[in-house]
Amino acid sequence: MFDWSCDTGWARHSIFGLRREWLDLYLGDRRGWHSRQVLGNRQVTSLEAWLKTAGIEDSSGRLTPLGEQFVAKGTGDRSLWELLWVNVVFTFPTARWYVHLGQGKWATTELKSLLRTAVPRLAERTASNAIMELAGLLERTPVGNELGQGQVTAGRPRRLVRRGGEPCDAAIVHALGRLFIKQSRTNLSWDDDLVWPWVVFGCSRQFILERLTIIDQNYFNINERGVTVRIVDEEW
């Protein structure tokens, strides 16, 4: 059972979720997008925060390797959104809490209630804003429908359906790498209750384990008991 009481930053994106068209705007003019007068002031602030949360920029505002891939390939590459979702889950507590719910269907009001139960210290407004930011990301980017992380149906309240999806090999390796960084350990047991790649993507554990035995990678040693990290990649 996870203890969420120590996590902070449940609502950090000025109420807005990341939108694909915002990322297109940023990628099309990384120096001048702020002054294009397309976004309102709060939306500008939101996108600035999302660029860090999503791992497009580092804390100093420099383009990350993932950001460079988005610049080169644009927002039409599904695998890049899978990598982005991994970053969001490990950076944004609201997303990390959400993926632990597994597959399912919820109204945004239900999610807010569940979040406040999991983190009683959160003010009602903070919990509401957190769910709005998450639902906005799922609704306005390929993460929600195409990746299966939460198809959003319009209405009052909005409803989310998380059916899950099977990620590409690069996203599996990235998720496992982010997990090692978060845990600050070199060895993890499969029995540990952690943010495993199958939790991140809402897919079967068996799918991930089978892929890990096939993937041509030098980062991890895999056996029946768990996984040991061999090389830490700076992209994690």
Side-chain angles (χ1 to χ4, degrees):
M1 190 72 175
F2 270 74
D3 179 7
W4 302 101
S5 60
C6 294
D7 285 281
T8 59
W10 293 89
R12 60 176 65 168
H13 307 98
S14 302
I15 308 179
F16 295 100
L18 178 63
R19 302 180 183 183
R20 183 175 184 168
E21 61 265 29
W22 290 3
L23 188 52
D24 284 327
L25 174 68
Y26 167 80
L27 295 173
D29 186 5
R30 288 193 295 113
R31 292 183 180 276
W33 70 270
H34 297 82
S35 57
R36 293 282 297 276
Q37 297 184 337
V38 176
L39 307 181
N41 291 338
R42 293 185 67 184
Q43 292 176 324
V44 168
T45 300
S46 177
L47 179 53
E48 288 173 338
W50 275 114
L51 292 171
K52 308 297 190 298
T53 298
I56 302 295
E57 290 184 350
D58 63 20
S59 59
S60 300
R62 293 186 293 265
L63 209 60
T64 64
L66 177 60
E68 291 172 355
Q69 291 186 65
F70 267 108
V71 169
K73 300 179 181 180
T75 60
D77 190 315
R78 174 192 171 110
S79 65
L80 297 186
W81 287 102
E82 292 178 352
L83 295 170
L84 179 148
W85 176 238
V86 170
N87 291 338
V88 169
V89 167
F90 280 96
T91 308
F92 186 29
T94 305
R96 192 161 57 255
W97 164 82
Y98 169 75
V99 298
H100 279 87
L101 298 178
Q103 297 180 359
K105 303 176 182 180
W106 310 272
T108 52
T109 49
E110 293 176 82
L111 288 172
K112 183 182 77 170
S113 178
L114 289 170
L115 179 56
R116 292 200 72 199
T117 299
V119 194
R121 64 176 175 78
L122 287 185
E124 183 174 356
R125 182 172 181 177
T126 301
S128 179
N129 291 347
I131 298 304
M132 286 179 64
E133 293 177 4
L134 175 66
L137 164 75
L138 297 174
E139 184 176 16
R140 303 295 290 268
T141 72
V143 172
N145 189 26
E146 292 181 34
L147 272 59
Q149 300 309 309
Q151 183 176 0
V152 180
T153 303
R156 291 183 177 273
R158 288 177 290 177
R159 296 188 175 275
L160 282 70
V161 178
R162 188 180 189 229
R163 64 182 187 277
E166 296 178 346
C168 66
D169 291 349
I172 294 173
V173 171
H174 186 52
L176 199 52
R178 289 298 304 258
L179 178 58
F180 271 103
I181 296 296
K182 181 169 181 58
Q183 295 302 126
S184 299
R185 290 156 55 188
T186 58
N187 181 267
L188 301 174
S189 168
W190 299 127
D191 294 331
D192 292 337
D193 187 12
L194 302 172
V195 195
W196 294 105
W198 56 83
V199 176
V200 174
F201 288 99
C203 62
S204 75
R205 169 174 168 157
Q206 188 61 32
F207 169 79
I208 297 296
L209 295 180
E210 288 179 355
R211 291 308 308 164
L212 284 171
T213 62
I214 297 171
I215 294 173
D216 182 17
Q217 55 83 24
N218 298 312
Y219 301 110
F220 314 108
N221 287 330
I222 309 291
N223 59 41
E224 66 278 4
R225 294 182 302 277
V227 54
T228 303
V229 68
R230 297 174 58 192
I231 302 172
V232 176
D233 190 322
E234 63 177 11
E235 293 190 25
W236 297 340

